[in-house]
């Protein structure tokens, strides 16, 4: 016997009716009749085809299914098994940034940062290699660069990548790398000396088109960065790196109606595209609080966003709900900043309470 999942959420938006399942991340538009009956836990109006369709999406489940146990299994499998063989290191070589985006979740503190240099490579490298040797099940090392703006420390990024890349080649294990950057400092030299030799992927942010992007993503002189971002994307494509490009676009209540314009404009300029909700973090990006979305708004916008991702044939990633555990609870995942402080989660960066250790000069 099939019953309604306990993870279903029902909501109405613009006279349309939806059910969203936070476990499967499925979202389905309903007729008013279905909307009313399902909220009363009544599925007697369902045909056999209806039952099968809702069952496939996780809206209906087997009566004896332990859904809580299913999620815990999924959660722990990701924490302890799926990530067990990969060492994930995110490096924050600086909190400094050449832009002043209003909504930045690192606030203004990033301008007070030091920068890592090639002289610091050995310290980080020793930590990575030592951790690998102590965990022989690891068969992949993933190095990500985050900030601030990591390209302010280009020589460090290039040197540490080369070092770990060669180490992985020597140990015959997989190496991957991702650079999260605003792109403004990305040049042909970056491509030729860093991205191409080590097959580094690039994530760039495009927050709307032209004026909309420029209104929130500005350099320190107050100038918008949309044209520069376009130039960088075109340069990457001309260099044969389209498959290495992921574009991210933030969604707020103010720009949800323009989401399709953005994804349509960039559909042929990227390997992957995804939307992310702008979030408010108290005491961090308070001045942008009114521009951020609430959980209720996220839920309403999710249907639009997932429909667009499917329409333009990009990979589907749930933008709402909680399918994966935070890195805070995941094995082999570390964030190392320019002070050599180690964290488990990006939102803990610069928070003394989030430091789980400090890498000394010997990489310990």
């Amino acid at each position: 016997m099939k019953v309604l999942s306990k993870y279903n959420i029902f909501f109405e938006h613009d006279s349309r009716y939806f059910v969203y399942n936070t476990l499967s991340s499925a979202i389905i538009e309903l007729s008013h009749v279905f909307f009313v009956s399902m909220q009363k836990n009544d599925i007697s109006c369902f045909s056999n085809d209806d039952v099968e369709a809702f069952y496939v999406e996780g809206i209906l489940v087997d009566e004896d299914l332990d859904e809580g146990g299913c999620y815990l299994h999924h959660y722990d499998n990701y924490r302890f098994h799926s990530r067990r063989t990969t060492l994930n290191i995110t490096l924050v070589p600086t909190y400094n940034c050449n832009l002043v985006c209003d909504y930045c979740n690192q606030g203004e503190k990033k301008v007070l940062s030091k920068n890592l240099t090639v002289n610091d490579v050995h310290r980080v490298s020793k930590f990575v290699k030592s951790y690998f040797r102590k965990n022989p099940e690891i068969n992949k090392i993933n190095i990500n660069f985050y900030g601030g703006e990591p390209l302010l420390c280009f020589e460090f990024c290039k040197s540490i990548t080369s070092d770990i890349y060669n180490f992985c080649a020597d140990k015959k294990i997989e190496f991957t790398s991702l650079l999260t950057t605003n792109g403004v400092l990305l040049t042909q030299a970056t491509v030729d000396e860093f991205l191409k030799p080590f097959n580094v992927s690039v994530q760039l942010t495009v927050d709307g088109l032209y004026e909309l992007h420029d209104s929130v993503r500005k350099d320190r002189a107050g100038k918008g960065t949309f044209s520069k971002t376009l130039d960088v994307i075109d340069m990457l494509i001309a260099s044969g790196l389209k498959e290495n490009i992921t574009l991210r676009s933030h969604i707020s209540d103010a720009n949800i109606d323009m989401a399709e314009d953005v994804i349509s404009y960039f559909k042929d300029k990227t390997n992957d595209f995804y939307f992310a909700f702008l979030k408010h973090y108290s005491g961090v990006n308070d001045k942008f609080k009114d521009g951020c979305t609430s959980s209720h708004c996220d839920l309403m916008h999710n249907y639009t966003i997932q429909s667009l991702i499917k329409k333009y044939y990009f990979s589907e990633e749930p933008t709402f709900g909680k399918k994966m555990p935070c890195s805070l609870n995941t094995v082999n995942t570390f964030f190392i900043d320019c002070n050599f402080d180690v964290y488990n989660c990006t939102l803990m960066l610069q928070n003394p309470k989030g430091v789980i250790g400090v890498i000394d000069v010997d990489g310990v």
Side-chain angles (χ1 to χ4, degrees):
M1 180 178 175
K2 304 295 188 292
V3 297
L4 287 163
S5 167
K6 68 180 182 181
Y7 288 99
N8 290 334
I9 296 175
F10 298 91
F11 66 99
E12 179 182 354
H13 180 57
D14 288 342
S15 300
R16 298 165 68 189
Y17 307 95
F18 301 90
V19 57
Y20 177 77
N21 187 276
T22 58
L23 185 60
S24 70
S25 290
I27 186 166
I28 298 176
E29 186 169 4
L30 305 171
S31 69
H32 185 256
V33 172
F34 273 28
F35 184 73
V36 172
S37 2
M38 289 172 74
Q39 288 187 89
K40 295 178 179 178
N41 207 32
D42 177 10
I43 58 173
S44 59
C45 58
F46 282 21
S47 68
N48 289 338
D49 287 344
D50 293 331
V51 170
E52 179 61 25
F54 282 108
Y55 181 72
V56 167
E57 298 296 338
I59 306 298
L60 291 178
V61 297
D62 292 318
E63 184 179 29
D64 59 354
L65 177 68
D66 177 7
E67 288 189 279
C70 286
Y71 177 67
L72 287 174
H73 172 77
H74 173 85
Y75 186 89
D76 286 340
N77 181 62
Y78 182 84
R79 290 177 63 201
F80 299 120
H81 181 71
S82 298
R83 303 299 287 263
R84 179 179 58 85
T85 59
T86 301
L87 174 56
N88 293 282
I89 302 288
T90 296
L91 300 175
V92 182
T94 183
Y95 289 113
N96 293 321
C97 190
N98 53 321
L99 300 191
V100 283
C101 305
D102 289 340
Y103 56 73
C104 181
N105 66 9
Q106 290 177 4
E108 295 299 321
K109 291 186 289 185
K110 62 182 179 294
V111 303
L112 305 175
S113 170
K114 63 179 286 187
N115 291 350
L116 294 185
T117 71
V118 292
N119 294 327
D120 299 308
V121 168
H122 71 285
R123 193 163 169 178
V124 177
S125 177
K126 284 182 178 180
F127 172 81
V128 174
K129 295 172 184 177
S130 174
Y131 191 89
F132 169 81
R133 294 187 180 100
K134 293 174 183 176
N135 296 272
E137 71 277 9
I138 290 173
N139 57 27
K140 175 181 177 180
I141 296 179
N142 179 43
I143 301 292
N144 298 322
F145 295 96
Y146 190 65
E149 172 48 54
L151 287 181
L152 289 169
C153 305
F154 172 62
E155 292 299 331
F156 169 83
C157 294
K158 181 176 68 172
S159 297
I160 187 67
T161 303
S162 175
D163 186 274
I164 303 301
Y165 177 90
N166 290 328
F167 177 78
C168 289
D170 180 62
K171 298 298 181 183
K172 295 180 173 54
I173 63 172
E174 185 179 357
F175 172 85
T176 57
S177 184
L178 170 67
L179 171 69
T180 299
T181 174
N182 58 50
V184 172
L185 300 176
L186 207 157
T187 65
Q188 192 63 52
T190 313
V191 171
D192 297 338
E193 300 174 24
F194 179 39
L195 303 184
K196 292 188 79 168
F198 310 114
N199 195 32
V200 178
S201 296
V202 180
Q203 179 176 286
L204 297 162
T205 300
V206 286
D207 283 341
L209 302 177
Y210 299 100
E211 293 87 355
L212 181 58
H213 176 101
D214 286 347
S215 69
V216 291
R217 297 187 66 80
K218 307 171 185 175
D219 64 22
R220 292 196 170 274
K223 184 179 179 181
T225 59
F226 186 76
S227 294
K228 177 61 179 177
T229 303
L230 277 185
D231 290 343
V232 165
I233 293 171
D234 289 341
M235 178 180 66
L236 291 171
I237 294 172
S239 299
L241 295 179
K242 180 182 175 181
E243 294 302 306
N244 290 43
I245 303 173
T246 295
L247 297 182
R248 165 189 176 119
S249 185
H250 291 109
I251 287 297
S252 67
D253 294 340
N255 67 10
I256 183 64
D257 293 337
M258 305 173 208
E260 182 160 12
D261 293 337
V262 178
I263 195 171
S264 175
Y265 185 93
F266 286 103
K267 68 181 187 300
D268 296 322
K269 291 180 175 290
T270 181
N271 177 58
D272 201 8
F273 187 107
Y274 76 99
F275 293 101
F277 293 123
L278 280 177
K279 294 294 185 183
H280 170 235
Y281 301 99
S282 181
V284 177
N285 59 346
D286 291 335
K287 68 177 180 180
F288 200 74
K289 180 179 180 180
D290 293 340
C292 296
T293 55
S294 64
S295 293
H296 178 64
C297 292
D298 293 352
L299 185 56
M300 294 189 296
H301 297 333
N302 192 73
Y303 182 78
T304 300
I305 288 171
Q306 292 304 307
S307 298
L308 290 175
I309 292 294
K310 290 180 181 179
K311 179 178 178 179
Y312 288 93
Y313 303 104
F314 290 111
S315 58
E316 294 179 56
E317 294 288 345
T319 52
F320 189 74
K322 188 168 180 62
K323 290 193 67 177
M324 296 298 184
C326 170
S327 58
L328 188 66
N329 293 318
T330 304
V331 296
N332 301 336
T333 299
F334 303 102
F335 294 78
I336 303 169
D337 74 1
C338 50
N339 302 310
F340 302 102
D341 290 334
V342 182
Y343 304 81
N344 281 135
C345 177
T346 183
L347 292 179
M348 292 293 182
L349 293 172
Q350 301 188 84
N351 182 347
K353 295 181 179 179
V355 177
I356 61 169
V358 180
I359 300 175
D360 66 20
V361 291
D362 295 318
V364 177

